Amino acid sequence: MAGRLAGRLAGRLTRTGFGLRTGLRWKLSAAIALVGALVALALSLVVHNAARVSMLDNSRDLADERIRVAQRMYESGRQQNPGAFGVRVDDPTIPPDLLAKVSEGRRATYVADGPHGVPDIWAAVPLKDGRVLSLHTRFTDRSADIMQDLDQALVIGSIAVVFGGCALGVLIGGQMSRRLREAAAAANQVAKGETNVRVRDAIGGVVRDETDDLARAVDAMADALQQRIEAERRVTADIAHELRTPVTGLLTAAELLPPGRPSELVRDRAQAMRTLVEDVLEVARLDSASERAELQDIMLGEFVARRVAAKDADIAVQVVHESEVTTDPRRLERVLFNLLANAAKHGEPPIEVSVEGRVIRVRDHGPGFPEDLLADGPRRFRTGASDRAGQGHGLGLTIAAGQARVLGARLTFRNVRPAGAPEDVPAEGAVAVLWLPEHAPTSTGSYPMLP
C-alpha cells in the first residue's frame, strides 16, 4: 500500500507542479535589491535634478537683481565704471541666445555650460543708449559643495536601500523557503507511506499565506488517495477471503475424484487457484501495514545455504562473507523463495545465490527484468510479458518487496549487461539484491535507538 501511495502521490504532485526550487531566498533578495536599486536611482536623479534646478534658479534671481541695481546706478550716472561690480558694457563674450533676447528690449538671464562642468550664470539688460549691460558669474563654490554633499548622501542612501532590501529579501525568502522545504519533506514522508504525517502541521507558523493553501491541498490529496487505496485493499481482501472457503472445498472435492488425467488437471488448477487466493490475502495483509517481524539471531550464510538446498539442490550458493543478523527467518525465507521462484519461472539457468555480509543476491541468466519493473518496482498483476515469459500474476515479487519492508530491508532489481554496453544491448541476466538492515525493526515496527 505504501508503494502504491508513493507512486500515486508522486504523480499527482508532478502534475500539479509542486516542487521546491533551491535558492528561493537569494532570488527574492536579488529581486527586492534590484527593485530597491532602481527606485533609489530614480529618486536620486529626481532629487539631484530638482536641487540643481532650484540652486540655478536662485543664482539667476540673484544675477537678475544685481543687473537691475547696476542698470539703475549706471543710467542715473552714479556709477560710470560698471566693471567694479563685475558688470560689463557690450561684452563681446555674451552668449548669442542671451543677446537675441536683449535685442528685443527685454532683461534676461541665461545659464551656459562652463569649464569643468560648472555652470556659468549670465544676466543682461538693454540700456537707454542702445548698449547692453551684462553680468557674468559662475556657480558659487558653496552651491557646488552643497550639490557634492547631496550627491554623496544620495549614493550612501541608495547603497543602504540596496543592502536593506537584500536583508529583507533574505529574511522573507528564508522564511518562505523554510516553510516550502518542510512542506516538501512532509510530502515525501507521506509519499513513502507515513500516512499520519500532515504537511500543514509540519510547516507550522502563525501567518497564513499561499503555502498553507498548498499544504492543505496536499493533505487533502493524500487523505483522498489513502481512502481510495484502503477501499481497494479491503475489497481485494474481502474477495480473496470469500473465495478461500469455496476454493478449499473445491480442492477437497478434487482429492476425492478417481485417479486419472482429468482429475490431475482439476486438482492442479484448484491448487493454483488456492495459491493465488493465499497470495492475494498475503498482499492485503502487507498493504495494511499491520505485519510485525518476529526476530531471531541467525547466521545468514548458513541459513540461506540450508534453505536453498532444501528448495533446489541444483542452485549454487556462495557465501563470500558470513554474518550474524537479527531478522525474521520465516519472512526472510519467504522473500528468498519468491526470488528463486521468479528466477526459475522468468529467467534461465544457471541460478546463482551469493551472501556477502548482510546482502543476498539472486541472479539468473535470462532476458532480465522489464523496464517498467526497474523504474517503478514490482506491481501486482503486472509481469512484463513482452520481455519475459509472461506467466504468473506478478504477486511473487510484490510479496517479496512487502515482506522486505516488514524486515526493514531494501529489495532492489537490476539487469546485467557487459561493461560499457548501452541500454539497448540485451541483458545477460537479472539480479535481485536484498539488503538487510544493521538494526532490525522491533516487534512494534519501529527501529531501536542507536547508542
Side-chain angles (χ1 to χ4, degrees):
M1 181 174 63
R4 297 168 65 193
L5 177 61
R8 294 187 180 187
L9 184 58
R12 293 288 182 87
L13 291 177
T14 301
R15 287 193 294 271
T16 54
F18 179 83
L20 180 66
R21 297 291 182 267
T22 57
L24 177 62
R25 66 170 63 186
W26 302 115
K27 293 178 181 178
L28 186 58
S29 174
I32 294 178
L34 179 61
V35 173
L38 293 176
V39 172
L41 178 62
L43 290 179
S44 298
L45 292 176
V46 170
V47 172
H48 174 83
N49 291 332
R52 186 174 184 273
V53 169
S54 177
M55 290 184 178
L56 287 176
D57 289 342
N58 292 335
S59 299
R60 295 174 70 173
D61 291 341
L62 179 61
D64 183 64
E65 183 66 26
R66 291 176 61 187
I67 197 66
R68 284 189 296 172
V69 172
Q71 177 189 13
R72 288 195 298 268
M73 294 180 64
Y74 182 82
E75 291 181 344
S76 63
R78 287 181 292 174
Q79 179 65 37
Q80 298 298 324
N81 185 18
F85 295 95
V87 179
R88 300 180 64 181
V89 177
D90 292 335
D91 187 351
T93 61
I94 188 171
D97 294 339
L98 178 60
L99 186 60
K101 293 291 184 181
V102 175
S103 300
E104 298 175 359
R106 300 167 52 186
R107 186 180 73 253
T109 58
Y110 184 80
V111 177
D113 294 330
H116 308 293
V118 179
D120 287 342
I121 310 299
W122 287 85
V125 62
L127 298 175
K128 295 179 179 179
D129 55 6
R131 292 187 293 179
V132 176
L133 188 67
S134 63
L135 172 66
H136 179 204
T137 60
R138 295 186 182 277
F139 209 47
T140 62
D141 294 337
R142 176 176 175 79
S143 299
D145 293 340
I146 292 175
M147 288 299 301
Q148 185 177 0
D149 293 341
L150 177 62
D151 291 340
Q152 184 177 2
L154 291 175
V155 170
I156 295 175
S158 300
I159 295 176
V161 168
V162 172
F163 279 101
C166 288
L168 182 61
V170 169
L171 180 63
I172 298 176
Q175 183 72 8
M176 184 179 299
S177 178
R178 179 190 62 80
R179 288 165 63 86
L180 289 176
R181 283 197 304 268
E182 292 175 351
N188 287 330
Q189 289 180 321
V190 174
K192 292 177 181 177
E194 300 181 21
T195 56
N196 60 333
V197 176
R198 287 296 174 265
V199 178
R200 179 61 194 87
D201 297 335
I203 64 176
V206 178
V207 179
R208 297 293 181 263
D209 53 17
E210 289 79 0
T211 309
D212 296 88
D213 298 336
L214 175 62
R216 291 191 181 90
V218 173
D219 288 339
M221 180 174 58
D223 291 338
L225 289 175
Q226 177 65 23
Q227 293 173 4
R228 181 175 178 181
I229 292 174
E230 181 63 20
E232 292 178 357
R233 185 194 66 80
R234 290 180 179 177
V235 169
T236 302
D238 292 343
I239 293 175
H241 184 75
E242 293 297 327
L243 287 174
R244 192 175 192 180
T245 300
V247 168
T248 302
L250 178 62
L251 186 61
T252 302
E255 296 293 337
L256 301 177
L257 294 175
R261 181 60 179 169
S263 299
E264 293 178 1
L265 291 176
V266 171
R267 283 193 293 269
D268 180 69
R269 291 299 88 195
Q271 182 61 43
M273 185 177 296
R274 180 177 182 178
T275 301
L276 175 60
V277 171
E278 294 294 337
D279 287 346
V280 171
L281 284 173
E282 185 173 359
V283 169
R285 288 194 301 269
L286 293 172
D287 281 348
S288 66
S290 61
E291 296 287 285
R292 295 293 180 263
E294 298 177 2
L295 304 178
Q296 297 180 22
D297 294 333
I298 61 173
M299 301 302 296
L300 185 60
E302 179 185 354
F303 175 86
V304 172
R306 189 167 61 249
R307 293 297 190 274
V308 172
K311 177 74 173 177
D312 189 346
D314 295 332
I315 299 178
V317 178
Q318 180 184 10
V319 181
V320 180
H321 175 66
E322 183 65 280
S323 176
E324 182 179 5
V325 299
T326 302
T327 187
D328 187 331
R330 181 181 64 84
R331 297 183 187 278
L332 178 59
E333 180 181 289
R334 179 68 162 151
V335 174
L336 180 61
F337 283 1
N338 279 18
L339 294 180
L340 292 175
N342 183 79
K345 182 180 295 184
H346 301 292
E348 296 177 3
I351 299 175
E352 302 170 352
V353 179
S354 64
V355 180
E356 184 175 356
R358 299 175 178 274
V359 180
I360 303 174
R361 292 180 175 85
V362 177
R363 178 186 176 181
D364 62 58
H365 290 74
F369 291 113
E371 294 300 326
D372 57 349
L373 186 144
L374 297 177
D376 303 328
R379 295 288 184 270
R380 65 200 68 184
F381 304 110
R382 287 174 55 185
T383 60
S386 61
D387 296 312
R388 297 165 80 85
Q391 301 174 357
H393 302 88
L395 296 179
L397 292 182
T398 302
I399 293 174
Q403 295 288 7
R405 284 195 299 271
V406 176
L407 296 176
R410 182 164 58 98
L411 184 59
T412 61
F413 306 92
R414 66 181 178 87
N415 291 333
V416 180
R417 287 185 173 85
E423 292 295 327
D424 57 348
V425 174
E428 297 179 347
V431 180
V433 185
L434 180 67
W435 311 74
L436 292 175
E438 182 177 358
H439 299 280
T442 65
S443 59
T444 61
S446 62
Y447 288 82
M449 295 296 293
L450 296 179

